[in-house]
Amino acid sequence: MSGTGTVIAVSSSGEHSFTKANRESVTLLAGLGVEGDAHAGETVRHRSRVAKDPTQPNLRQVHLIHEELFAEVGEAGFTVGPGELGENITTRGLDLLGLPTGTLLRIGAEAVVEVTGLRNPCFQIDDFQRGLLKQVVGRDENGDVVRRAGVMGVVRTGGVVRPGDAIGVELPDGAHRPLEKV
């Protein structure tokens, strides 16, 4: 194990809406995602990905965002709360963006989510709050794209997740493979 964090909020929506309602708990289903969420499934559920190839595996079953991002964008004048950027699990105390591909997040008593990559933010963020997209995606000093809108994962072991649950981090064996967009 390497590091621990905390679940601040859990959110889901049965519709393809940008924001997701906060819940008292969500149930993660192995190989599928968040029970009752529009993005749950073995194959892609995001509309643009379904249009390209509906048979692709769903590497975006669970979306996690670090609560610390809300404070960062708040300094630029934006107000964002849990679930408002479409995430299922809002965390505190974990460097989600710095995790390697394949990291296992042990959440609560039973659930395990494998981190598959970075969320690729889209224009809908600017529909939510104009100018916010530039806060969560930009370029570094080398001109490389930097995505800060959370990470995506797949459910390896199901279980109920609630605010206040601990998140344990289990790093994969081998060389660190930086997260890429999925």
Side-chain angles (χ1 to χ4, degrees):
M1 290 287 217
S2 178
T4 59
T6 305
V7 174
I8 298 307
V10 294
S11 310
S12 66
S13 175
E15 300 174 7
H16 282 278
S17 57
F18 181 71
T19 61
K20 296 183 186 280
N22 294 158
R23 310 282 182 198
E24 289 184 21
S25 67
V26 293
T27 300
L28 302 186
L29 303 173
L32 295 173
V34 178
E35 183 177 49
D37 193 81
H39 291 99
E42 291 181 15
T43 56
V44 292
R45 293 295 189 252
H46 196 272
R47 289 184 211 173
S48 65
R49 291 167 192 268
V50 169
K52 288 180 186 173
D53 179 1
T55 67
Q56 293 176 69
N58 186 3
L59 300 178
R60 301 165 52 98
Q61 295 174 358
V62 181
H63 177 200
L64 300 97
I65 283 186
H66 50 297
E67 180 191 50
E68 293 84 353
L69 177 66
F70 304 155
E72 292 172 26
V73 300
E75 291 175 12
F78 296 93
T79 303
V80 179
E84 291 186 334
L85 294 182
E87 79 275 13
N88 301 111
I89 300 174
T90 310
T91 69
R92 179 185 297 148
L94 288 179
D95 178 13
L96 291 175
L97 304 178
L99 296 173
T101 302
T103 297
L104 298 179
L105 301 175
R106 299 187 179 280
I107 308 172
E110 299 174 324
V112 179
V113 173
E114 179 181 342
V115 178
T116 55
L118 297 167
R119 175 188 184 191
N120 191 26
C122 67
F123 69 90
Q124 288 181 321
I125 291 178
D126 270 352
D127 291 344
F128 173 65
Q129 288 185 41
R130 185 151 314 285
L132 185 56
L133 182 59
K134 286 184 181 179
Q135 299 296 313
V136 297
V137 66
R139 297 201 176 268
D140 65 14
E141 59 279 353
N142 298 324
D144 296 324
V145 175
V146 176
R147 294 170 180 85
R148 301 179 338 117
V151 300
M152 308 305 288
V154 295
V155 181
R156 293 294 178 216
T157 306
V160 176
V161 177
R162 296 176 179 85
D165 281 350
I167 305 169
V169 176
E170 186 177 324
L171 299 175
D173 293 334
H176 178 101
R177 293 182 343 213
L179 297 174
E180 297 179 8
K181 72 175 182 172
V182 292

